[in-house]
Amino acid sequence: MLDTTSPRSLSLVNANTGETLSVTYWSNGSYQRAALDKLNHFLRDWRENERTEMDPLLFDVLWHTMNTVGFSGSVEVLSAFRSPSTNAWLASVSRGVASDSQHINGNAMDVVFPGVSAYQIRQAARSLNMGGVGFYPRSGFVHLDTGPVRYW
């Protein structure tokens, strides 16, 4: 049973910039605008310094995944919003980057929970049935998004 009443807080580390952020983004039955603004800045495309309005449901997917595996530490964010130019560049140099990536839409994150296997994160995220879950065991991360439910 998903917890739908407790305040929802996230502690994040940007693996690319070293920035950290701890916010309570949902409390008293609603999303908190100031916290969402901080998350939008934190999850920006750091290469282009562009930001977008991230899908708040993505934070719920992450929060519920953390609760499901019992993780309360800081999540390492490898990638979140990507500008179209950054995504095109990544697709040109790396296999597995979709040209129409959910990252461009502001509804995807690639994450690591230090001390928790990517397999455990994948299983927890899949159990939610809240969006796409990509499993990258060799790289040790999991992709979470709020697009259609699908797995790879």
Side-chain angles (χ1 to χ4, degrees):
M1 180 98 178
L2 291 180
D3 177 350
T4 58
T5 58
S6 296
R8 300 175 195 162
S9 301
L10 296 172
S11 291
L12 307 173
V13 176
N14 184 315
N16 301 293
T17 67
E19 294 169 283
T20 61
L21 177 68
S22 292
V23 293
T24 298
Y25 72 91
W26 193 90
S27 60
N28 301 318
S30 65
Y31 294 107
Q32 302 301 303
R33 183 72 254 168
L36 295 179
D37 289 342
K38 289 177 183 175
L39 284 161
N40 289 337
H41 175 75
F42 182 84
L43 298 170
R44 72 194 179 281
D45 178 335
W46 58 274
R47 290 177 181 91
E48 301 281 332
N49 203 30
E50 282 184 42
R51 58 187 270 179
T52 194
E53 185 71 26
M54 298 295 290
D55 181 355
L57 184 60
L58 180 62
F59 308 136
D60 293 336
V61 170
L62 179 60
W63 188 81
H64 286 298
T65 301
M66 291 170 62
N67 280 357
T68 301
V69 297
F71 182 77
S72 58
S74 292
V75 173
E76 292 180 14
V77 179
L78 307 180
S79 183
F81 171 65
R82 293 183 199 148
S83 67
S85 58
T86 291
N87 197 74
W89 174 76
L90 285 171
S92 75
V93 298
S94 176
R95 289 182 39 233
V97 175
S99 59
D100 60 345
S101 171
Q102 296 288 332
H103 289 276
I104 297 171
N105 301 324
N107 60 359
M109 297 171 79
D110 296 339
V111 297
V112 172
F113 297 1
V116 180
S117 74
Y119 176 80
Q120 288 174 282
I121 299 166
R122 175 187 79 164
Q123 293 305 98
R126 286 179 66 158
S127 75
L128 300 173
N129 280 314
M130 293 177 74
V133 180
F135 180 52
Y136 297 89
R138 280 197 299 260
S139 304
F141 73 89
V142 174
H143 166 101
L144 304 173
D145 72 48
T146 59
V149 174
R150 68 218 184 283
Y151 312 116
W152 64 94

